Amino acid sequence: MTKNVLLLPGDGIGPEVIAEAVKVLDHLRESYGLDIDTQYADIGGIAYENHGMPYPPETHKKAVAADAILLGAVGGPQWEALDYDLRPERGLLSIRAELDLYANLRPAVTFEELAGASSLKHELVAGLDIMIVRELTGGIYFGEPRGHQTLDDGERQSYNTMVYSESEIERIMHNAFQIAEKRNKRVCSVDKANVLQVSELWREVAIRVSAEYPSVSLSHMYVDNAVMQLIREPKQFDVIVTGNLFGDILSDAAAMLTGSIGMLPSASLDANGKGMYEPVHGSAPDIAGKNIANPIATILSAAMMLRYTLGFSEYADKIENAVKKVLAEGIGTGDLKAIVKTQVTTQEMGDSIVKTIV
Ligand code: IPM
Ligand code: MG
């Protein structure tokens, strides 16, 4: 049966990188019989411009109906002064919450050709392969109470709440352990249990769930140490499981280890494996519209989508192999300037990958 993919280009470089992923998907459709249909909808700043809100009901309807979603990026300086609920980022948080996409998988993998672009020494990052499993619909991002208030003496105060219920921790732990079973069988749970009650519960549930996965070892690390260890000796990690805010921070740090944040895909899954796929990088407004952004993170996100939600692994393999080959030929966008032989534009990168697919 034909699968329906919803494309949400969003803002900044989002439309440019989505266009290259679409080029790749169209090629697989036309030349290799990939059976998907695509539709577009607005999210983020562009949705605010066209519909007055960052996650309009039309978009929600299409998202619910789709088998999988591929998103570019949201946000830009022109929308920063908007009310909190109208900001582009709210669109992203809304679709994650409304579709219950609680499991965010962010691989940090070094491509051999790019190890030289990392801010760390080659031997520390060569062969790096970490999977960060970030809880995405809970924690301080969504916790109540939240808001601003004015105290009796007139001073203003603002607050958010980091809250996790047992069931929320349990389900993300199952994701992490099941992923680790297929990898190197090590889960490191990152928390701040020396200070936060919410982390005490996190740790307790992690230990409880780990009993169901005897082949996987569980360790714990405080988040401040985890970020230090990521920079000191990143290859000690296999799967990292952590809450929403800690995962946001750790995944940016891990991304940089691999050489370029422009290379990293991600998946956000619900309990049935339906998912939204997006590059880890943001909308990069400073380079938007210049045809210089690296589309590989989005193209690899499309590959992840084919593999994990749509069940088309053979097509995912084709994309991933083509990306590796193109990099091995020394072709890359400006962000990889330091290490590529041939610097290409966003569109040329998409073309090169299409040409290399076999
Ligand atoms: C991410 C981003 C988002 C987040 C922002 C844009 C809301 O940083 O996907 O990591 O904090 O989750
Ligand atoms: Mg982030």
Side-chain angles (χ1 to χ4, degrees):
M1 231 184 42
T2 309
K3 303 279 188 178
N4 291 309
V5 174
L6 180 64
L7 301 165
L8 301 174
D11 309 319
I13 60 171
E16 293 166 71
V17 292
I18 285 287
E20 299 316 304
V22 169
K23 216 184 247 178
V24 170
L25 291 172
D26 280 347
H27 178 66
L28 290 173
R29 252 186 344 193
E30 285 151 21
S31 303
Y32 295 94
L34 172 64
D35 195 10
I36 59 166
D37 264 345
T38 51
Q39 280 198 62
Y40 285 88
D42 288 337
I43 195 166
I46 185 74
Y48 171 75
E49 299 300 337
N50 292 340
H51 312 268
M53 59 187 94
Y55 184 54
E58 298 92 297
T59 302
H60 179 62
K61 239 166 92 189
K62 286 183 181 172
V64 169
D67 294 304
I69 301 165
L70 185 64
L71 175 125
V74 300
Q78 64 271 52
W79 301 295
E80 263 162 29
L82 285 176
D83 270 0
Y84 178 81
D85 281 331
L86 296 175
R87 277 187 224 154
E89 291 75 14
R90 225 27 246 174
L92 191 54
L93 298 177
S94 299
I95 192 170
R96 288 172 179 171
E98 299 266 338
L99 300 187
D100 207 14
L101 304 170
Y102 70 90
N104 185 212
L105 315 185
R106 298 193 161 183
V109 176
T110 310
F111 287 82
E112 182 46 36
E113 294 76 22
L114 304 187
S118 172
S119 44
L120 294 195
K121 291 191 200 85
H122 182 270
E123 68 264 25
L124 288 179
V125 294
L128 182 74
D129 181 357
I130 300 175
M131 179 66 89
I132 297 185
V133 179
R134 169 188 177 195
E135 199 292 325
L136 200 60
T137 54
I140 195 165
Y141 272 56
F142 294 94
E144 301 282 348
R146 60 194 298 136
H148 305 286
Q149 64 186 18
T150 304
L151 302 176
D152 290 344
D153 65 2
E155 190 179 7
R156 292 189 306 147
Q157 196 179 55
S158 304
Y159 49 95
N160 292 86
T161 308
M162 193 184 277
V163 53
Y164 271 114
S165 53
E166 277 184 291
S167 58
E168 284 177 303
I169 306 169
E170 235 166 56
R171 63 181 186 173
I172 194 70
M173 287 300 162
H174 282 292
N175 285 79
F177 282 102
Q178 284 163 20
I179 289 167
E181 280 184 321
K182 298 192 198 119
R183 295 173 45 103
N184 290 323
K185 303 190 166 34
R186 285 180 292 120
V187 169
C188 178
S189 169
V190 171
D191 61 35
K192 189 71 185 173
N194 51 346
V195 177
L196 304 176
Q197 277 85 354
V198 61
S199 285
E200 272 175 17
L201 183 65
W202 182 274
R203 202 172 264 224
E204 195 188 304
V205 174
I207 293 168
R208 192 167 75 214
V209 172
S210 77
E212 295 178 44
Y213 299 90
S215 71
V216 178
S217 72
L218 170 67
S219 61
H220 306 273
M221 212 178 262
Y222 299 139
V223 62
D224 50 347
N225 185 29
V227 83
M228 181 176 85
Q229 295 299 334
L230 261 181
I231 293 163
R232 194 182 72 86
E233 199 197 330
K235 282 191 262 181
Q236 70 185 282
F237 295 106
D238 177 23
V239 174
I240 291 176
V241 62
T242 190
N244 206 342
L245 179 63
F246 299 159
D248 180 44
I249 298 165
L250 288 172
S251 62
D252 266 27
M256 207 52 231
L257 302 178
T258 68
S260 170
I261 196 165
M263 300 294 301
L264 296 179
S266 76
S268 307
L269 306 174
D270 74 5
N272 304 312
K274 172 169 169 171
M276 179 165 81
Y277 294 79
E278 57 182 301
V280 168
H281 64 69
S283 60
D286 51 321
I287 62 164
K290 296 186 178 161
N291 195 21
I292 59 175
N294 186 347
I296 291 182
T298 310
I299 291 170
L300 290 175
S301 297
M304 261 184 117
M305 171 181 82
L306 295 174
R307 186 185 304 285
Y308 291 111
T309 293
L310 300 180
F312 293 135
S313 295
E314 67 280 20
Y315 293 102
D317 288 343
K318 282 185 192 299
I319 297 176
E320 287 163 2
N321 289 336
V323 168
K324 274 187 210 138
K325 255 195 230 159
V326 166
L327 292 171
E329 283 163 20
I331 295 170
T333 41
D335 49 315
L336 308 173
K337 188 153 67 219
I339 44 148
V340 296
K341 285 201 301 257
T342 315
Q343 192 177 323
V344 295
T345 64
T346 308
Q347 291 170 355
E348 287 166 344
M349 183 49 120
D351 294 337
S352 303
I353 291 169
V354 163
K355 259 192 285 171
T356 309
I357 286 178
V358 284

